[in-house]
Amino acid sequence: MFDGQIVVYKFIQDLHFFVTGGEEENELILASVLQGFSDAVERLLKNMVDKRTALENLDMILLCLDEIVDGGIVLETEGKEIAEKVSGHGLEGASSAEQTLVNALTQAREHFAKSLLM
């Protein structure tokens, strides 16, 4: 508990992941959200989880959060499923809007990476 909030956390190398919820929330659900998120991030970053890699792939990390929670409601906690949806391997069943969003974020990430290298 921290200031009336339940906080679960996980450290992976030099990154710190936190999930918070109100004091009425189930601690086990928050822990499963954190575990699913960290598993998905590790899969997407191919176990190279550090600050630099996380910043270079921030779009995919934010998409992971979008796949996990929507409006405070937990949608998915399985890391493998989350990673497949975000990486594009799960796009066969996705709508064209989701495919377009993934493609746009991929292009934005590449442009951002190029601008950092210049």
Side-chain angles (χ1 to χ4, degrees), residues 63-78:
L63 281 173
C64 283
L65 291 174
D66 186 54
E67 289 294 329
I68 295 170
V69 179
D70 185 24
I73 297 171
V74 177
L75 302 174
E76 181 67 65
T77 60
E78 186 63 41

Side-chain angles (χ1 to χ4, degrees), residues 59 63 86-88 91 95-110:
D59 59 337
L63 281 173
V86 170
S87 68
L91 285 180
S95 70
S96 62
E98 289 173 328
Q99 291 175 357
T100 303
L101 177 62
V102 169
N103 292 337
L105 287 172
T106 301
Q107 289 176 355
R109 179 187 63 182
E110 291 170 359

Side-chain angles (χ1 to χ4, degrees), residues 31-94:
S32 69
V33 167
L34 178 61
Q35 187 62 47
F37 175 69
S38 62
D39 288 349
V41 169
E42 285 177 352
R43 281 179 180 272
L44 290 170
L45 301 182
K46 298 173 180 61
N47 292 323
M48 301 273 299
V49 182
D50 58 21
K51 285 182 186 177
R52 180 184 174 115
T53 309
L55 284 174
E56 290 171 353
N57 296 285
L58 188 59
D59 59 337
M60 289 195 299
I61 292 172
L62 293 175
L63 281 173
C64 283
L65 291 174
D66 186 54
E67 289 294 329
I68 295 170
V69 179
D70 185 24
I73 297 171
V74 177
L75 302 174
E76 181 67 65
T77 60
E78 186 63 41
K80 181 181 177 187
E81 296 294 323
I82 297 163
E84 285 178 356
K85 288 179 183 177
V86 170
S87 68
H89 296 301
L91 285 180
E92 294 82 29

Side-chain angles (χ1 to χ4, degrees), residues 13-24:
Q13 293 186 21
D14 57 351
L15 291 177
H16 304 229
F17 297 108
F18 295 88
V19 174
T20 63
E23 58 187 29
E24 70 283 349

